[in-house]
Every structure is written in C-alpha cells, then in structure tokens.
C-alpha cells in the first residue's frame, strides 16, 4: 500500500504549474494549484458511510422527514435556477452598461476628431477595470481566477480543491467577471457563470456558512458529498443556461463536459433547474425590451440572427463545411498547445508575489488597448450600403457600421468588430444579409487578434472565460472561408460564421452534443443541425490526434488528480497488489484512546480499516472502514469506555446525525484541536456503531484497470484490498485515486512506459514539448 493509501497523503506528485518546490509540497499530500496557492488535495466521500448509527437514524425517519428531504431537493434546484438566472442577467446588464458607456464616450470623441483623447480614455478605463478585477482576485480570493470550469469539473470527479466554492470566491467571481469582460480583454463570461452557479449550489447545499452566521439546520439532509455533488451539477448546468439563454444546451454541457457520474433522477432535477433559468430570463428580457433597463438594457442574452425563410444547402456545400471542420481541429489543437504553454510561463513569472500578477494584468490590459485602438486605422473606410437595415454609420450605439475615423457616409468594418462587446461582435459576424460588409484583410486581422489576445488574456489573475472568445475566433475564420468560397456556396456568410464557431469549439473544448445544441439555441435555426453535426465531428476527430481538450490540459497543469473514464491499457498488466504498499494502519473494534490519538496525529489518512479479533471473533476478520472525521468527533464528545467490554448503550442518546454531518470544504475538525488527558488515553473507544460495515473491496489479484473502473463509476474515496488466500491479514491495503494516476504508476514501474498506448495521437518534436 502506498504511504498515501489511507487518505491521499505523502504522494510526491507535483503540479506542472509549480515553478519551485514549496514547503507544503515536501510534507503533505499531493498538491495542486488552487488560485495562487499550492494546496493539499483530498478526495470527496461520494459513498454514504452505512454504519449502524446511520442505519438507525434512517429507520427512525418519519414520513414527514422523508417528504421534507425530497421537497428540499426540488426547492434547492428552484432556488439555484432563480439565483443563477438573476446573477446572469445582472452580469450581462452590467457588462453592456459599463462597456456601452465607454464606447459611447469614445465614439463621440472620435466624431469630434479627438483621437488622442479617445485613446487615453479607452486605455485608462480598460486599465482601471482590469486593475479592479486583478486586485480583488489576488487579495480576496485567488481561487476565482480563470474560468473555474476545470475546478468544478475536478470537484464533480471527486477532487476537493479548497476554497473554490466559498462566499468570497462567489463575490470575486461576479464582480471580477463584470470588470474583466467590460475592460475589452478578450475573455468570456460563460466559464465564470458555470463557477458562479456551482458556488451558489454548494453554499445552499451546505446550509450557508457558519463563518458568516448564515446556517439553516433544516438543510442537514444535504450535509454530505453526494447530495452536494448533485446540487453543484445542477448549478453548473444553470450557469451555462444563464450565460447563453440555452437551457437544453446547459443541461447537455453538464452531462457531456462536467460530470463523472449521472443518473436519471439527477437528469430530471438539472432539467428543472435550467427550465427555471430559461423562464426567469425570458421574463427579465421582456421587461428590458420595454425600455425599462436603460439605454443598454437590450444587449446581451440575445438570439443571433442567422436564420432566413428557407435555409437550403446542396451537395457542393459539404466540402467547404468539411474544410471548416478540419481547420477547426488544427486551429483548436494549436490553440490548446499555446494556451497551455502561456499559462505555465505566467506562473513562472507570477509565482513569487502578488505584485507580479497585478503588473502582468496591467501590462496585458495596456497592450490590448493599444492593439485594439490601433488596428482599425489599418482598415480602409467603406461606403455605407444603400440597402442597410440599420443606421449607417453607427455612432454612440452598438451596430454593424462603426464610423470610427471615417468621413460621413462611410464606416470602418474592423472597428465594427473591435469596438463592441463580444456579444455584439458575434451578432455582427452571425448576422444575415451582410455578405459584403467586411473586407478580407479586416476579417483576417480580426481572426489573428482574437486568436492571440484570447490566449494571452486567459492566465491573468482575474475571472476569465474561454467559451465566448472561442466562439468569436471561430466565427471570424468561418466568415473568411465564406468570403473565399463566395458564390460557389448557397449558404450565407452568417451561417458559415456559426459553423466556424462550432468547429473551433469542437477543436478546443472537444464538445460535440452540447456545443451543437447551444449554438442552435443561440441562433434559433434547427435547419443547420446536419451541417453543424458534420463540422463538430470533423473538428473533434482532427484535434484529438494532437492533444487533449483545453480543460483537461488546464486540470493537468494545475495538478488535479482527475480520473479518466477509461483505464490506460498498461493498467491491465498490473494487479492491485502491484501498487499497494505498507505500512497499513489498522484499528480494532474496541481500540485504546491513546492509540487512536497517536495514529491521527502521526498520519494524514482519512480512512482506517477496522478488524475484530479474539474474543470478539475466532479469527481476525474485516469489520469495516471508519473515517477520520468520525474518529475526531468521537474524541471530541469523549465517548470513552472504562474497559474493553461493550456497554450496549444506545449511541443515538449520545450523538445526533448533525454531529457527523460533512462540514464545508476546508472546515473539517483537526486532531490538534482535541484535548485528551493522560487518564483518558488509557480508556477505550467502541468503533463498531460508527464503522461502515459494507465498504467496497477488491481481491488483490484484480487488475488495476478493473479496480479503476469500480472506483470511478461508484464514486469511491477508499477501496479496500483483501487477500486472495485465507489465513492472512483480513485486509492488504487501501487504494485511493492517487494510486491510479498514470504518472505515479509509471514512476514505480518504468518498464511499462514503452507500452503506454498513445492511440493515433501525433507527437510533437522534443524541443516543442518540454514535459
């Protein structure tokens, strides 16, 4: 058994992002980058500990309590949907208002030919907004940096990353996302909305926060990892639904990209949650359409217009669509490769102090402002089309025809894309009837700018999403392909833009079903379904030949021990006995208090096998598994015996189920807080009522691949290994998720490195791949 086997301890794995070895990494469990810190990583207990105390508590539950439990599940889903929809709507309204005011002021300055002052206002306002986002992220909650999707995905896989769902993280995620998106950085809001939805769900599920005095005792039923995991799943689905007003897309995104375990009951609750989001958003948007949300109240959460009366396509439209898919796979894999390297470079620069993080964010903001303001000057002015459906040129409002520096009756097509929010830029690219609006050079410049800026903007200390930048980037080269194809295709340029966005989503995030439905819900055009399916399949197939999806790369870089759905083929050559090592910490059914205290103080294990020997049993037998948190609770309550004889006292008289409820992440009781006297150390604890008598076990000869499938699909934290031959110790060791990490296994069995299956994935030259 590994020295970590009882509870994720002492593994020497390192996150790829760590530029130097910290003291924490030398003495504790496997560590991962959480925000700006290296934190010990624990697993979550998705298995219910079915001990005698738990069974007795459930037997005594009345019909009213069971009804309350079921009712509270649906009520919490309703609250999650309602809160997340309100946050999503307010986020969009805030972004549109802040960015709208900024662009209006700049537009009128440009109209007055005060270009230098317009540049100063543009740069300074962007810098202040970026600085606000960076400061609160760096000094209030660094766990709010980035999109948050990798952290939520790791949590739903069973990885407990400290601080990612705290109240501070929720606050920083909301304010920081508004500031970052409004600052003209090429970052998105969808990823932060997923994290926001997960935070809301987690805080509701744990009954509030004891630290801030916000707790509700009637939520005790949800104080376990399994119910919180289900709520976080609903919250992540609600986040995407609120970001794109795509309820079915949000549900499928959670199913395809986020969760590791799924069941029909959870499907219904997640569907109910996203339906609540959709209903509330429709009401709020209708309210704003009446003009009651200010001059910018109609922006965001819009349906992009690419539909026409009859969308038809012919056989010769298939080759350019396939070309889009191939390009999406190539660009997507390159995008993932570069983003992975940039994030590592940023960490090496900013790993020393928070000041470097702030300076880097400010530098990226200034560089972005210079680039965005300077590039439109390279584009020539175009005359306004005579049949334009909107005002041309556009001054002081969002639109397809930005005037910028052009004379009356003319517009700057590149400025129409750059001097807008991301939502408005997508609307311009997706819009129909604009096939002659953009020049080749403008679209090419815009594509390169989006591709480059979205990569360098992601790793800064601020809430930054990738979903919207990927859509903008893909839409831009989709337009370019449409312009190159020209009259040889029956599809309009807006549809090519949508297909380009789909191809880039498939190439970077490898999303297929969810990306398809989200884009169809955004554009309200089901007639594009066959073409979108084709382009997504092509882009994902091509990109998978080079690297993993972007979220998996970020999780690996952060050091999260994520369990994949499939086992590496070399694991079939090993048995579980090849990876478990000693020594194994055991407890007896009735154990001396001093032994329990000594083991808890000298180890960081979170689960301990309990065995019975004579006189309780004729031969040593495995009674079950007891958790560290339960042992600490027994020591705190001082439920001690004066002798080794069981007293037969009803434990329900001494304890309540609330005593053993799972606390919030990072709030677990510590053995250092327990005070035990010398006299008490010579007393005894009866562990039988609190031991899980039905833990999952595997025989030591089982293949490691089969054990991995069991651990992941059931959602286990500990997997006991029992001997094949009778007469030995009743338990050989314990497996945890860290024992299944390929890097750890190959470091112990280097001969298997050559047999590690790479599939059809192409490998990069050694000088391009530093890993």
């Amino acid at each position: 058994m590994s020295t970590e086997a009882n509870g994720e301890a002492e593994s020497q794995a390192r996150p790829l992002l760590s530029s130097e070895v910290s003291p924490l990494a030398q003495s504790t469990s496997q560590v991962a980058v959480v925000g700006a810190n290296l934190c010990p990583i624990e697993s979550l207990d998705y298995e219910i500990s079915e001990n005698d105390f738990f069974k007795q508590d459930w037997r005594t539950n009345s019909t009213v309590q069971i009804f309350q439990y079921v009712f509270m599940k649906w009520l919490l889903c309703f609250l999650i949907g309602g809160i997340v929809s309100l946050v999503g709507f307010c986020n969009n309204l805030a972004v549109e208002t802040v960015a709208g005011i900024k662009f209006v002021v700049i537009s009128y300055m440009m109209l007055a030919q005060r270009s230098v002052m317009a540049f100063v206002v543009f740069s300074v306002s962007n810098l202040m907004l970026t600085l606000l986002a960076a400061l609160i992220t760096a000094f209030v909650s660094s766990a709010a940096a980035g999109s948050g999707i990798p952290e939520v995905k790791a949590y739903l896989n069973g990885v407990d990353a400290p601080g990612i769902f705290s109240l501070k993280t929720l606050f920083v995620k909301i304010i920081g996302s508004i500031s970052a998106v409004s600052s003209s950085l090429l970052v998105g809001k969808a990823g932060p909305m997923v994290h926001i939805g997960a935070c809301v769900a987690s805080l509701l599920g744990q009954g509030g926060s004891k630290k801030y005095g916000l707790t509700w005792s009637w939520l005790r039923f949800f104080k376990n990892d399994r119910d919180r995991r289900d709520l976080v799943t609903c919250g992540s689905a609600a986040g995407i639904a609120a970001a794109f007003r795509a309820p079915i897309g949000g549900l499928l995104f959670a199913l395809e990209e986020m969760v590791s375990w799924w069941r029909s009951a959870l499907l219904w609750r997640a569907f109910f949650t996203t339906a609540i989001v959709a209903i509330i958003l429709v009401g709020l948007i209708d309210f704003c359409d009446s003009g009651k949300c200010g001059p910018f109240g109609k922006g965001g959460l819009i349906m992009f217009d690419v539909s026409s009366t009859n969308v038809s396509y012919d056989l010769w439209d298939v080759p350019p669509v396939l070309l889009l898919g191939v390009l999406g796979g190539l660009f997507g894999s390159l995008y993932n490769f570069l983003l992975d390297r940039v994030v590592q470079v940023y960490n090496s620069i900013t790993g020393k102090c928070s000041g470097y993080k702030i300076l880097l964010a400010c530098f990226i903001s200034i560089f972005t402002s210079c680039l965005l303001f300077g590039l439109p000057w390279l584009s020539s002015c175009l005359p306004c089309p005579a049949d334009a459906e909107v005002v041309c040129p556009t001054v002081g409002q969002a639109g397809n025809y930005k005037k910028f520096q052009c004379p009356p009756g003319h517009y700057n097509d590149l400025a129409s894309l750059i001097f807008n929010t991301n939502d408005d830029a997508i609307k311009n690219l997706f819009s129909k009837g604009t096939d002659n609006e953009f020049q080749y050079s403008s679209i090419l410049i815009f594509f390169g700018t989006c591709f480059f800026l979205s990569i360098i903007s992601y790793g800064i200390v601020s809430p930054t999403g990738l979903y919207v930048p990927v859509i903008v980037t893909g839409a831009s080269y989709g337009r370019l392909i449409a312009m190159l194809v020209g009259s040889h295709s029956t599809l309009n340029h807006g549809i090519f833009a949508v297909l380009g966005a789909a191809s880039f989503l498939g190439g970077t995030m490898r999303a297929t079903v969810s990306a398809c439905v989200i884009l169809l819900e955004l554009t309200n055009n089901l007639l594009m379904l066959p073409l979108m399916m084709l382009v997504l399949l092509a882009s994902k197939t091509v990109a998978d030949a080079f690297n993993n999806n972007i979220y998996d790369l970020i999780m690996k870089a952060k050091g999260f021990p994520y369990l994949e759905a499939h086992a590496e083929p070399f694991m079939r050559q090993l048995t579980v006995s090849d990876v478990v090592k000693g020594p194994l910490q055991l407890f007896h059914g009735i154990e001396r208090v001093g032994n329990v205290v000594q083991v808890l103080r000298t180890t960081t294990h979170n689960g301990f096998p309990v065995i019975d020997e004579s006189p309780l049993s004729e031969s040593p037998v495995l009674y079950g598994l007891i958790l560290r948190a339960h042992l600490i609770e027994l020591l705190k309550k001082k439920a001690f015996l004066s002798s080794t004889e069981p007293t037969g006292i009803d434990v329900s008289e001494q304890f309540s189920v609330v005593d053993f409820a799972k606390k919030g992440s990072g709030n677990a009781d510590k053995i250092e807080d327990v005070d035990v006297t010398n006299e008490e150390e010579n007393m005894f604890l009866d562990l039988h009522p609190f031991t899980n008598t039905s833990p999952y076990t595997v025989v030591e000869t089982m293949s490691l691949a089969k054990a991995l499938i069991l651990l992941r699909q059931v959602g286990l934290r500990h997997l006991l290994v029992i001997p094949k031959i009778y007469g030995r110790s009743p338990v050989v060791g314990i497996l945890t998720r860290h024992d299944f990490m390929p890097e750890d296994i190959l470091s112990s069995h280097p001969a298997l490195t050559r047999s590690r299956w790479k599939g059809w994935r192409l490998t990069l030259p050694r000088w391009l791949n530093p890993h």
Side-chain angles (χ1 to χ4, degrees):
M1 171 180 141
S2 70
T3 57
E4 177 278 277
N6 283 41
E8 302 76 62
E10 286 86 65
S11 171
Q12 295 304 310
R14 295 288 188 270
L16 300 179
L17 286 181
S18 57
S19 56
E20 56 188 24
V21 178
S22 69
L24 179 66
Q26 295 175 342
S27 60
T28 61
S29 64
Q30 176 171 343
V31 294
V33 176
V34 181
N37 304 312
L38 286 176
C39 299
I41 286 296
E42 304 287 354
S43 294
L44 296 166
D45 288 316
Y46 288 155
E47 179 198 9
I48 299 297
S49 181
E50 294 183 354
N51 52 42
D52 292 341
F53 181 73
F54 169 84
K55 295 175 183 177
Q56 181 177 349
D57 176 72
W58 272 98
R59 282 195 298 265
T60 57
N61 282 341
S62 64
T63 304
V64 174
Q65 289 176 310
I66 295 174
F67 173 79
Q68 182 188 14
Y69 174 64
V70 176
F71 173 76
M72 286 304 305
K73 280 186 176 183
W74 290 97
L75 179 60
L76 286 177
C77 289
F78 176 83
L79 292 176
I80 292 169
I83 294 173
V84 173
S85 60
L86 290 174
V87 171
F89 175 79
C90 293
N91 272 14
N92 278 279
L93 189 60
V95 168
E96 293 293 327
T97 300
V98 173
I101 293 173
K102 176 181 67 178
F103 288 132
V104 165
V105 172
I106 294 169
S107 296
Y108 282 110
M109 286 184 175
M110 293 297 294
L111 187 63
Q113 298 184 348
R114 300 172 61 190
S115 302
V116 176
M117 182 56 67
F119 170 70
V120 172
V121 171
F122 182 66
S123 301
V124 172
S125 60
N126 288 343
L127 179 61
M128 291 299 102
L129 289 168
T130 303
L131 189 60
L132 171 63
L135 287 173
I136 63 174
T137 304
F139 296 109
V140 179
S141 176
S142 61
S147 73
I149 289 181
E151 286 81 359
V152 178
K153 186 174 180 178
Y155 177 88
L156 293 176
N157 187 258
V159 178
D160 188 12
I164 62 171
F165 295 144
S166 67
L167 196 60
K168 292 191 300 182
T169 300
L170 175 61
F171 168 79
V172 173
K173 206 74 179 185
I174 295 173
I175 304 300
S177 176
I178 294 172
S179 300
V181 176
S182 303
S183 68
S184 292
L185 291 174
L186 202 69
V187 296
K189 59 190 176 183
M193 276 305 305
V194 171
H195 197 175
I196 289 169
C199 286
V200 170
S202 178
L203 290 172
L204 288 176
Q206 69 186 35
S209 171
K210 278 189 176 181
K211 182 177 180 181
Y212 298 99
L214 302 173
T215 56
W216 299 276
S217 58
W218 40 269
L219 285 177
R220 70 179 182 88
F221 295 112
F222 300 93
K223 290 184 177 292
N224 62 81
D225 288 330
R226 177 180 292 183
D227 284 319
R228 288 182 191 170
R229 174 195 67 191
D230 292 349
L231 292 174
V232 169
T233 300
C234 294
S236 63
I240 286 291
F244 294 117
R245 201 175 71 173
I248 305 301
L251 175 66
L252 292 175
F253 179 83
L255 174 60
E256 181 181 13
E257 291 293 322
M258 303 300 294
V259 300
S260 298
W261 301 279
W262 193 268
R263 61 184 188 277
S264 58
L266 179 57
L267 175 66
W268 277 106
R269 287 200 295 275
F271 180 76
F272 173 72
T273 306
T274 56
I276 295 299
V277 172
I279 292 169
I280 294 178
L281 284 180
V282 167
L284 292 172
I285 292 172
D286 289 342
F287 176 77
C288 285
D289 284 341
S290 62
K292 297 179 180 179
C293 296
F296 305 100
K298 294 183 180 180
L301 294 171
I302 51 179
M303 302 294 273
F304 302 119
D305 183 16
V306 297
S307 61
S308 59
T309 305
N310 292 304
V311 176
S312 61
Y313 38 87
D314 298 309
L315 185 61
W316 50 81
D317 291 320
V318 174
V321 170
L322 282 176
L323 175 62
L324 270 179
V326 173
L327 287 177
L330 295 174
F331 286 144
S333 58
L334 177 62
Y335 184 91
N336 291 0
F337 172 78
L338 294 176
L339 183 64
D340 185 37
R341 298 302 181 269
V342 167
V343 170
Q344 294 184 47
V345 171
Y346 281 1
N347 182 74
S348 65
I349 296 174
T350 62
K352 299 178 181 179
C353 70
S354 298
Y356 288 106
K357 301 182 181 70
I358 305 299
L359 289 176
L360 178 62
C362 292
F363 172 78
I364 295 298
S365 175
I366 295 172
F367 176 77
T368 300
S369 297
C370 294
L371 198 63
L372 295 182
F373 195 88
L375 286 176
W377 295 90
L378 302 177
S379 180
S380 58
C381 295
L382 300 175
C384 289
D387 57 347
E389 298 179 359
V390 295
V391 177
C392 180
T394 303
V395 178
Q397 57 182 320
N400 288 53
Y401 305 102
K402 287 286 186 178
K403 184 177 182 298
F404 203 61
Q405 89 289 7
C406 296
H410 292 71
Y411 72 96
N412 188 313
D413 60 339
L414 187 53
S416 299
L417 297 173
I418 288 179
F419 276 83
N420 271 317
T421 61
N422 287 333
D423 281 348
D424 290 326
I426 294 172
K427 181 180 180 181
N428 291 349
L429 289 169
F430 282 8
S431 59
K432 65 177 181 178
T434 57
D435 291 2
N436 299 317
E437 179 182 338
F438 302 103
Q439 303 174 84
Y440 289 97
S441 58
S442 298
I443 290 294
L444 187 59
I445 291 173
F446 184 68
F447 164 66
T449 303
C450 291
F451 190 91
F452 175 67
L453 288 183
S454 61
I455 290 175
I456 67 171
S457 300
Y458 178 78
I460 66 172
V461 57
S462 174
T464 53
L466 287 172
Y467 218 97
V468 173
V470 165
I471 292 177
V472 176
T473 306
S476 60
Y477 73 72
R479 270 272 180 171
L480 185 61
I481 295 298
M483 296 167 68
L484 293 174
V485 173
S487 60
H488 297 289
S489 174
T490 58
L491 302 175
N492 68 60
H493 291 194
I495 291 179
F496 267 100
V498 176
L499 296 176
S503 72
F504 204 43
L505 283 172
T508 55
M509 301 177 185
R510 314 298 155 81
T512 52
V513 179
S514 60
C516 181
V517 174
I518 287 173
L519 289 174
L520 290 176
E521 288 185 287
L522 278 177
T523 58
N524 197 24
N525 193 340
L526 280 174
L527 296 175
M528 290 192 299
L529 179 60
L531 294 179
M532 197 169 293
M533 294 174 67
L534 180 64
V535 77
L536 282 165
L537 289 172
S539 62
K540 184 182 187 303
T541 302
V542 172
D544 280 340
F546 293 94
N547 50 31
N548 290 327
N549 74 69
I550 187 61
Y551 296 130
D552 285 350
L553 291 176
I554 294 174
M555 279 195 298
K556 183 178 180 181
K558 285 178 173 289
F560 293 139
Y562 185 84
L563 292 178
E564 297 290 348
H566 61 277
E568 295 272 4
F570 69 81
M571 291 184 180
R572 302 191 182 280
Q573 304 176 38
L574 299 172
T575 63
V576 294
S577 61
D578 293 323
V579 297
V580 293
K581 308 178 185 68
L584 177 65
Q585 297 289 351
L586 297 169
F587 286 131
H588 295 89
I590 298 180
E591 186 63 75
R592 195 172 72 88
V593 173
N595 292 342
V596 175
V597 173
Q598 176 66 16
V599 170
L600 293 180
R601 287 179 176 172
T602 55
T603 68
T604 57
H605 304 335
N606 288 281
F608 301 89
V610 176
I611 61 172
D612 274 339
E613 295 181 323
S614 178
L616 298 178
S617 175
E618 295 181 358
S619 60
V621 295
L622 174 64
Y623 186 80
L625 182 78
I626 191 166
L627 302 178
R628 181 186 190 90
H630 292 180
L631 289 171
I632 293 177
E633 187 65 28
L634 293 177
L635 293 174
K636 285 176 58 181
K637 294 287 186 178
K638 299 187 181 297
F640 304 147
L641 305 176
S642 57
S643 68
T644 58
E645 294 296 327
T647 61
I649 298 177
D650 187 0
V651 294
S652 62
E653 298 177 358
Q654 295 178 284
F655 299 92
S656 69
V657 69
V658 178
D659 295 329
F660 296 96
K662 177 68 181 287
K663 296 177 174 60
S665 178
N667 298 322
D669 294 323
K670 299 179 180 179
I671 185 61
E672 290 77 14
D673 300 329
V674 178
D675 185 22
V676 179
T677 64
N678 292 333
E679 181 180 355
E680 291 172 335
E681 287 186 354
N682 293 318
M683 301 180 73
F684 299 90
L685 277 172
D686 185 1
L687 305 182
H688 291 100
F690 312 97
T691 299
N692 180 7
T693 57
S694 56
Y696 283 88
T697 61
V698 295
V699 182
E700 60 182 340
T701 54
M702 177 182 284
S703 73
L704 197 60
K706 291 182 66 175
L708 169 63
I709 299 303
L710 175 63
L711 186 89
R712 187 186 190 275
Q713 291 189 351
V714 181
L716 303 178
R717 183 176 189 177
H718 306 100
L719 188 58
L720 296 180
V721 181
I722 59 176
K724 186 176 181 63
I725 302 175
Y726 180 78
R728 297 172 52 191
S729 172
V731 58
V732 176
I734 300 181
L735 293 173
T736 62
R737 69 173 50 243
H738 297 300
D739 294 308
F740 294 96
M741 293 296 104
E743 294 76 12
D744 292 345
I745 297 173
L746 293 176
S747 65
S748 301
H749 301 84
L752 296 174
T753 304
R754 292 184 179 180
S755 65
R756 186 178 185 183
W757 181 69
K758 299 290 185 180
W760 293 101
R761 183 162 295 167
L762 303 176
T763 56
L764 294 169
R766 187 179 298 274
W767 62 275
L768 279 176
N769 192 357
H771 295 334

